[in-house]
Amino acid sequence: MVFLLLTCFLSCSYNIYANVFSPSPIQKTGDNKADKYVVALDDIINNSFWRASESETKQLIDQLFNLGKEKNDNYAIAVAHLYYARFYERAQDIVRAKRYAALALSYYDRTGNQLGICKTLRQQGFIAFKSSNMELALDLAYKAFDISEKLNNPVQEGLCLSQLGLFIFGTQVDEGIQVFTKGFNLLVSSGAKRDASIAAVTLSTLYLNIADIPKAKHYIDTFFILQKGFNDFVLLADGKGNASLIALALGKQKEAERYLEESGEYFYRINSDVLKAKFHRTRSIFFRDSKRYAEAIEAAQTGLAYLKDVEGKKKKKGMLQYTLFLSYKGLQKFDLAIAAYEEAVNHEFNQYDEQSQLGIANVKEKYETEKK
């Protein structure tokens, strides 16, 4: 069973891995009322990334930015800039994400704010990751990790290790999981339950990608335990999707379909075309692995329709085209299968599985035989 869920290496998702912020003191501006308001907004915005729609989150960031401008509070503006970077990275608007992250880093560099630098470098690492610049992504991740060690901040260190593990996984699976797990354990021991829940759902994704279903189930069960008391529907959307694929792999069809339906309900609350497309990609994988190829094709085409007018989504489109390839192949519609595969390649989708490379050669051979 091939799951193909990860961004960049296997091109997954909006970023559930980028929990750049954890609650931290806001520097004083001299205006106690403003300070308290900034602290409150900082916490509300951080929560909103997991519990609110994209439009609601954007309004809150705008509010923080405008407050900073009104009070001439450069720190509040820098915090807003980093949130903008996170917002636009999640929306796959890489150009704006880079610009806002650079603005935040400029302020933190000038003021020597090492915690701010650490968070910004990690955010820039995710932006590079989504841009398929793995060399830069790893360089930024290692720099952030070095700072987290000097800060003696176990939560930041855990977040940095998780990021490093994710990036390494693309080329060195065992080492990547080992590093990521070390970060997860640090987050758990530090009592950072939400951050740990994010790491847990990501670990379940990593294990799904290597078809280690028992480990994937262990971490998705852990995710649901850690999520108690949060109800972060943005995270639950992914968690339920993973649970659906795990249940399917275990032969629990009804349970799998229930999780899939619940995942969709959460995804649609986010009100993002990119994330709706992600949900339909999960549906297409679910139906494909259930050998319900017609439904898999319909789901993939729905996902592509959501991405039709969205820029910078080549890999996501490629993932959906790859599902179309496998589904058409399952229906023995080899001409359509080859066309879908070529579209996947055109969208910069690369399949690292040698067996799949042999599979496309076999499909072409069968197609030529059918033609003859």
Side-chain angles (χ1 to χ4, degrees):
M1 186 176 291
V2 181
F3 290 98
L4 302 172
L5 297 171
L6 294 179
T7 307
C8 234
F9 169 49
L10 295 174
S11 193
C12 175
S13 107
Y14 82 98
N15 193 353
I16 67 171
Y17 324 117
N19 190 19
V20 174
F21 297 87
S22 53
S24 58
I26 299 289
Q27 290 182 351
K28 294 295 180 184
T29 63
D31 184 334
N32 287 333
K33 288 184 179 178
D35 289 335
K36 290 178 181 178
Y37 195 37
V38 170
V39 170
L41 267 177
D42 185 23
D43 187 52
I44 291 168
I45 294 169
N46 189 50
N47 287 331
S48 76
F49 271 94
W50 311 117
R51 299 183 183 180
S53 68
E54 287 190 336
S55 60
E56 290 170 323
T57 300
K58 176 66 162 52
Q59 287 172 7
L60 288 167
I61 301 172
D62 290 342
Q63 194 173 343
L64 176 59
F65 176 77
N66 291 332
L67 176 68
K69 294 286 284 185
E70 179 186 338
K71 299 294 182 181
N72 196 27
D73 183 345
N74 289 327
Y75 182 80
I77 293 171
V79 174
H81 281 156
L82 192 46
Y83 275 127
Y84 279 131
R86 180 179 173 187
F87 176 86
Y88 286 117
E89 174 255 316
R90 172 170 146 173
Q92 285 286 116
D93 188 340
I94 299 302
V95 173
R96 280 199 275 193
K98 285 181 179 178
R99 183 169 73 244
Y100 280 112
L103 288 169
L105 186 61
S106 176
Y107 170 82
Y108 293 133
D109 275 336
R110 289 198 311 273
T111 58
N113 186 322
Q114 293 300 301
L115 179 60
I117 293 171
C118 179
K119 291 177 177 181
T120 308
L121 288 173
R122 196 163 62 250
Q123 180 62 68
Q124 289 180 320
F126 281 118
I127 293 168
F129 181 61
K130 282 198 169 180
S131 303
S132 300
N133 190 341
M134 291 308 301
E135 184 177 352
L136 177 60
L138 278 168
D139 180 57
L140 292 164
Y142 278 116
K143 286 178 180 177
F145 175 65
D146 287 342
I147 294 173
S148 73
E149 284 191 306
K150 292 173 185 175
L151 288 171
N152 194 27
N153 185 324
V155 174
Q156 293 300 316
E157 190 175 341
L159 291 170
C160 288
L161 282 170
S162 298
Q163 183 186 62
L164 271 172
L166 176 67
F167 294 173
I168 293 168
F169 179 86
T171 53
Q172 297 170 285
V173 171
D174 291 340
E175 184 181 352
I177 287 180
Q178 183 180 0
V179 173
F180 198 109
T181 304
K182 185 176 179 181
F184 167 74
N185 291 335
L186 256 179
L187 294 171
V188 171
S189 63
S190 302
K193 287 187 176 181
R194 173 179 282 151
D195 294 324
S197 77
I198 296 166
V201 77
T202 307
L203 275 168
S204 77
T205 304
L206 297 181
Y207 280 114
L208 269 171
N209 273 279
I210 59 173
D212 187 336
I213 303 305
K215 287 283 182 66
K217 187 177 187 309
H218 167 74
Y219 282 106
I220 205 62
D221 290 344
T222 303
F223 163 75
F224 287 130
I225 292 170
L226 289 167
Q227 263 295 302
K228 288 181 178 178
F230 289 111
N231 193 33
D232 294 333
F233 68 81
V234 175
L235 296 173
L236 287 166
D238 273 286
K240 297 282 187 178
N242 281 8
S244 174
L245 295 174
I246 292 166
L248 180 65
L250 294 173
K252 300 178 180 179
Q253 185 75 25
K254 288 185 178 180
E255 182 179 323
E257 293 194 14
R258 174 173 58 81
Y259 276 128
L260 184 65
E261 184 179 338
E262 292 172 357
S263 173
E265 290 172 0
Y266 283 120
F267 268 119
Y268 270 79
R269 286 174 63 183
I270 303 167
N271 195 26
S272 160
D273 285 348
V274 174
L275 298 185
K276 289 174 185 175
K278 181 189 175 184
F279 167 62
H280 287 289
R281 187 174 73 242
T282 302
R283 287 183 69 236
S284 69
I285 294 170
F286 176 89
F287 290 131
R288 185 195 75 207
D289 290 338
S290 302
K291 300 190 186 303
R292 293 157 62 178
Y293 297 120
E295 291 169 278
I297 290 166
E298 182 184 0
Q301 289 173 338
T302 301
L304 286 168
Y306 276 116
L307 296 178
K308 183 179 180 181
D309 299 321
V310 183
E311 295 297 325
K313 303 295 183 297
K314 284 189 172 183
K315 286 188 173 59
K316 295 183 183 301
K317 293 174 183 176
M319 276 294 299
L320 288 160
Q321 291 288 355
Y322 187 74
T323 293
L324 285 176
F325 156 65
L326 292 177
S327 300
Y328 283 129
K329 176 185 172 185
L331 292 173
Q332 297 189 358
K333 295 183 178 181
F334 300 122
D335 53 340
L336 294 173
I338 291 170
Y341 186 83
E342 289 173 348
E343 280 297 313
V345 173
N346 289 339
H347 287 110
E348 299 180 2
F349 172 78
N350 294 311
Q351 177 61 13
Y352 290 86
D353 186 349
E354 184 179 354
Q355 187 175 356
S356 294
Q357 294 289 355
L358 292 172
I360 184 61
N362 291 335
V363 170
K364 285 186 175 180
E365 182 179 346
K366 288 179 181 178
Y367 176 53
E368 291 301 323
T369 302
E370 287 285 331
K371 282 177 66 179
K372 291 177 182 178

Short mmCIF file of all heavy atoms in Angstrom, two decimals, residues 245-266:
data_model
loop_
_atom_site.label_atom_id
_atom_site.label_comp_id
_atom_site.label_asym_id
_atom_site.label_seq_id
_atom_site.Cartn_x
_atom_site.Cartn_y
_atom_site.Cartn_z
N LEU A 245 -6.93 6.07 7.00
CA LEU A 245 -6.04 5.22 6.20
C LEU A 245 -5.51 4.05 7.02
O LEU A 245 -5.32 2.95 6.50
CB LEU A 245 -4.89 6.06 5.65
CG LEU A 245 -5.30 7.15 4.64
CD1 LEU A 245 -4.09 8.00 4.27
CD2 LEU A 245 -5.92 6.53 3.40
N ILE A 246 -5.26 4.29 8.30
CA ILE A 246 -4.78 3.21 9.18
C ILE A 246 -5.86 2.14 9.35
O ILE A 246 -5.58 0.94 9.25
CB ILE A 246 -4.34 3.79 10.54
CG1 ILE A 246 -3.09 4.66 10.37
CG2 ILE A 246 -4.08 2.66 11.55
CD1 ILE A 246 -2.79 5.53 11.56
N ALA A 247 -7.08 2.59 9.62
CA ALA A 247 -8.20 1.64 9.79
C ALA A 247 -8.40 0.84 8.50
O ALA A 247 -8.66 -0.37 8.54
CB ALA A 247 -9.47 2.38 10.17
N LEU A 248 -8.28 1.50 7.36
CA LEU A 248 -8.42 0.81 6.08
C LEU A 248 -7.36 -0.27 5.92
O LEU A 248 -7.65 -1.39 5.50
CB LEU A 248 -8.32 1.82 4.93
CG LEU A 248 -8.45 1.24 3.52
CD1 LEU A 248 -9.84 0.66 3.30
CD2 LEU A 248 -8.16 2.32 2.48
N ALA A 249 -6.12 0.07 6.29
CA ALA A 249 -5.03 -0.89 6.19
C ALA A 249 -5.24 -2.08 7.12
O ALA A 249 -4.77 -3.19 6.84
CB ALA A 249 -3.70 -0.22 6.52
N LEU A 250 -5.96 -1.86 8.22
CA LEU A 250 -6.24 -2.94 9.18
C LEU A 250 -7.52 -3.70 8.83
O LEU A 250 -7.94 -4.57 9.59
CB LEU A 250 -6.35 -2.35 10.59
CG LEU A 250 -5.05 -1.76 11.16
CD1 LEU A 250 -5.32 -1.06 12.48
CD2 LEU A 250 -3.99 -2.86 11.36
N GLY A 251 -8.14 -3.34 7.72
CA GLY A 251 -9.33 -4.05 7.27
C GLY A 251 -10.61 -3.63 7.97
O GLY A 251 -11.62 -4.34 7.90
N LYS A 252 -10.58 -2.47 8.62
CA LYS A 252 -11.76 -1.99 9.35
C LYS A 252 -12.46 -0.94 8.49
O LYS A 252 -12.35 0.27 8.71
CB LYS A 252 -11.35 -1.40 10.70
CG LYS A 252 -10.66 -2.42 11.60
CD LYS A 252 -10.22 -1.79 12.91
CE LYS A 252 -9.53 -2.81 13.82
NZ LYS A 252 -9.07 -2.19 15.10
N GLN A 253 -13.21 -1.41 7.51
CA GLN A 253 -13.79 -0.55 6.49
C GLN A 253 -14.76 0.49 7.06
O GLN A 253 -14.68 1.68 6.74
CB GLN A 253 -14.51 -1.40 5.44
CG GLN A 253 -15.04 -0.64 4.26
CD GLN A 253 -13.96 -0.21 3.28
OE1 GLN A 253 -12.91 -0.84 3.22
NE2 GLN A 253 -14.20 0.86 2.55
N LYS A 254 -15.70 0.06 7.91
CA LYS A 254 -16.69 1.00 8.46
C LYS A 254 -16.04 2.07 9.31
O LYS A 254 -16.38 3.25 9.24
CB LYS A 254 -17.74 0.23 9.26
CG LYS A 254 -18.69 -0.60 8.40
CD LYS A 254 -19.78 -1.24 9.25
CE LYS A 254 -20.75 -2.03 8.38
NZ LYS A 254 -21.82 -2.67 9.20
N GLU A 255 -15.08 1.65 10.14
CA GLU A 255 -14.36 2.61 10.99
C GLU A 255 -13.57 3.58 10.11
O GLU A 255 -13.53 4.79 10.38
CB GLU A 255 -13.41 1.86 11.92
CG GLU A 255 -12.64 2.75 12.86
CD GLU A 255 -11.73 1.96 13.79
OE1 GLU A 255 -12.14 0.85 14.23
OE2 GLU A 255 -10.62 2.43 14.07
N ALA A 256 -12.96 3.07 9.05
CA ALA A 256 -12.19 3.92 8.14
C ALA A 256 -13.07 4.96 7.49
O ALA A 256 -12.70 6.14 7.39
CB ALA A 256 -11.51 3.05 7.08
N GLU A 257 -14.25 4.56 7.03
CA GLU A 257 -15.15 5.50 6.38
C GLU A 257 -15.67 6.55 7.37
O GLU A 257 -15.86 7.71 7.01
CB GLU A 257 -16.30 4.74 5.73
CG GLU A 257 -15.84 3.88 4.54
CD GLU A 257 -16.99 3.39 3.69
OE1 GLU A 257 -18.11 3.91 3.84
OE2 GLU A 257 -16.75 2.49 2.86
N ARG A 258 -15.89 6.13 8.61
CA ARG A 258 -16.34 7.09 9.62
C ARG A 258 -15.27 8.15 9.87
O ARG A 258 -15.56 9.35 9.92
CB ARG A 258 -16.67 6.36 10.92
CG ARG A 258 -17.03 7.30 12.09
CD ARG A 258 -17.51 6.53 13.29
NE ARG A 258 -16.55 5.56 13.78
CZ ARG A 258 -15.51 5.87 14.57
NH1 ARG A 258 -15.32 7.14 14.92
NH2 ARG A 258 -14.69 4.94 14.98
N TYR A 259 -14.01 7.72 10.03
CA TYR A 259 -12.92 8.67 10.24
C TYR A 259 -12.77 9.61 9.04
O TYR A 259 -12.52 10.81 9.20
CB TYR A 259 -11.60 7.93 10.47
CG TYR A 259 -11.37 7.48 11.89
CD1 TYR A 259 -11.03 6.15 12.17
CD2 TYR A 259 -11.45 8.38 12.95
CE1 TYR A 259 -10.80 5.73 13.47
CE2 TYR A 259 -11.22 7.97 14.26
CZ TYR A 259 -10.89 6.64 14.52
OH TYR A 259 -10.66 6.23 15.81
N LEU A 260 -12.94 9.06 7.83
CA LEU A 260 -12.80 9.88 6.63
C LEU A 260 -13.87 10.98 6.60
O LEU A 260 -13.58 12.14 6.29
CB LEU A 260 -12.91 9.00 5.39
CG LEU A 260 -12.69 9.71 4.05
CD1 LEU A 260 -11.27 10.24 3.94
CD2 LEU A 260 -12.99 8.77 2.88
N GLU A 261 -15.09 10.61 6.93
CA GLU A 261 -16.18 11.59 6.96
C GLU A 261 -15.93 12.67 8.00
O GLU A 261 -16.13 13.87 7.75
CB GLU A 261 -17.51 10.88 7.25
CG GLU A 261 -18.72 11.79 7.21
CD GLU A 261 -20.02 11.04 7.47
OE1 GLU A 261 -20.05 9.81 7.28
OE2 GLU A 261 -20.99 11.69 7.87
N GLU A 262 -15.45 12.27 9.18
CA GLU A 262 -15.16 13.23 10.25
C GLU A 262 -14.01 14.15 9.84
O GLU A 262 -14.03 15.36 10.14
CB GLU A 262 -14.81 12.48 11.54
CG GLU A 262 -16.01 11.75 12.14
CD GLU A 262 -15.62 10.86 13.32
OE1 GLU A 262 -14.40 10.77 13.62
OE2 GLU A 262 -16.51 10.24 13.92
N SER A 263 -13.02 13.60 9.15
CA SER A 263 -11.91 14.41 8.67
C SER A 263 -12.41 15.50 7.74
O SER A 263 -12.01 16.67 7.84
CB SER A 263 -10.89 13.51 7.94
OG SER A 263 -9.88 14.29 7.34
N GLY A 264 -13.30 15.14 6.82
CA GLY A 264 -13.85 16.11 5.88
C GLY A 264 -14.61 17.23 6.58
O GLY A 264 -14.51 18.40 6.20
N GLU A 265 -15.36 16.87 7.62
CA GLU A 265 -16.10 17.89 8.37
C GLU A 265 -15.16 18.92 8.98
O GLU A 265 -15.43 20.13 8.97
CB GLU A 265 -16.94 17.22 9.46
CG GLU A 265 -18.12 16.39 8.91
CD GLU A 265 -18.81 15.58 9.99
OE1 GLU A 265 -18.37 15.66 11.16
OE2 GLU A 265 -19.78 14.87 9.66
N TYR A 266 -14.02 18.45 9.51
CA TYR A 266 -13.04 19.37 10.08
C TYR A 266 -12.38 20.21 8.99
O TYR A 266 -12.20 21.43 9.14
CB TYR A 266 -11.97 18.59 10.85
CG TYR A 266 -12.42 18.12 12.21
CD1 TYR A 266 -12.43 16.76 12.54
CD2 TYR A 266 -12.81 19.03 13.19
CE1 TYR A 266 -12.83 16.32 13.79
CE2 TYR A 266 -13.21 18.60 14.45
CZ TYR A 266 -13.22 17.24 14.74
OH TYR A 266 -13.62 16.82 15.98
#
